[in-house]
Amino acid sequence: MDDSVFSRSRSKAVELLSRVHDHTTNTYVRGFRMLALGWSDGNSLIPLAFSLLSSAKETNRSKQWLALISTDLSLSDEEVVQMYEKRWDIEVFFKTVKSYLKLTRECYSRSYDALVAQATVVFSRYILLAIEQRMIEQ
């Protein structure tokens, strides 16, 4: 699981647009918080689900927090943190979908549903590229 900023900084009239905190630049931008769930085998990441999160009110926004979630209850806290450090494929995923597949720059719609549909298409393209890369490596 990871969250990332879905920036729409040049937009003014996008449905459900809100001011969100970008923790990488420590600034606020107009856009959405994208919460994504992915599966990884250590070689590549396949996105399974995502949600664009928005809030019009300052009081409804999350405070600074970090949740490391593991389904393996036998792991110690230290082991979960060590696994978190190996999350490079997640960073590669977001870099690819933002920079190369133009997640935040390809769709100029003002409709929230259109933004969700566009993100779904970008994630689907990423999945196809990840599968193709795995086939080349075999």
Side-chain angles (χ1 to χ4, degrees):
M1 254 179 150
D2 192 59
D3 70 336
S4 183
V5 171
F6 186 99
S7 176
R8 302 295 290 183
S9 294
R10 296 181 185 197
S11 302
K12 292 182 181 171
V14 172
E15 183 181 11
L16 299 175
L17 186 71
S18 64
R19 193 170 161 253
V20 294
H21 185 260
D22 184 347
H23 58 272
T24 58
T25 61
N26 201 25
T27 60
Y28 284 89
V29 298
R30 284 193 306 264
F32 303 93
R33 172 82 43 212
M34 178 180 280
L35 183 62
L37 173 67
W39 173 86
S40 175
D41 62 358
N43 294 320
S44 57
L45 177 110
I46 301 295
L48 300 175
F50 73 94
S51 180
L52 289 179
L53 307 175
S54 174
S55 175
K57 295 182 181 178
E58 179 79 28
T59 56
N60 291 344
R61 290 195 204 116
S62 298
K63 304 299 180 209
Q64 288 188 353
W65 57 275
L66 175 63
L68 301 179
I69 302 169
S70 173
T71 56
D72 187 346
L73 300 177
S74 67
L75 295 174
S76 68
D77 294 343
E78 292 80 18
E79 290 171 313
V80 172
V81 170
Q82 287 174 349
M83 291 177 72
Y84 177 77
E85 291 172 348
K86 297 178 183 176
R87 51 177 264 134
W88 181 246
D89 51 350
I90 296 171
E91 300 302 330
V92 169
F93 163 71
F94 278 110
K95 175 69 173 173
T96 301
V97 298
K98 286 182 177 180
S99 298
Y100 301 111
L101 299 179
K102 299 179 180 156
L103 174 65
T104 58
R105 296 180 306 214
E106 191 173 60
C107 179
Y108 297 105
S109 176
R110 294 181 179 173
S111 164
Y112 180 81
D113 290 337
L115 294 174
V116 170
Q118 189 260 345
T120 302
V121 169
V122 168
F123 282 19
S124 298
R125 291 189 328 215
Y126 180 87
I127 291 169
L128 293 173
L129 290 171
I131 290 170
E132 182 179 7
Q133 181 65 35
R134 299 274 315 224
M135 292 173 67
I136 290 171
E137 292 174 357
Q138 289 181 352

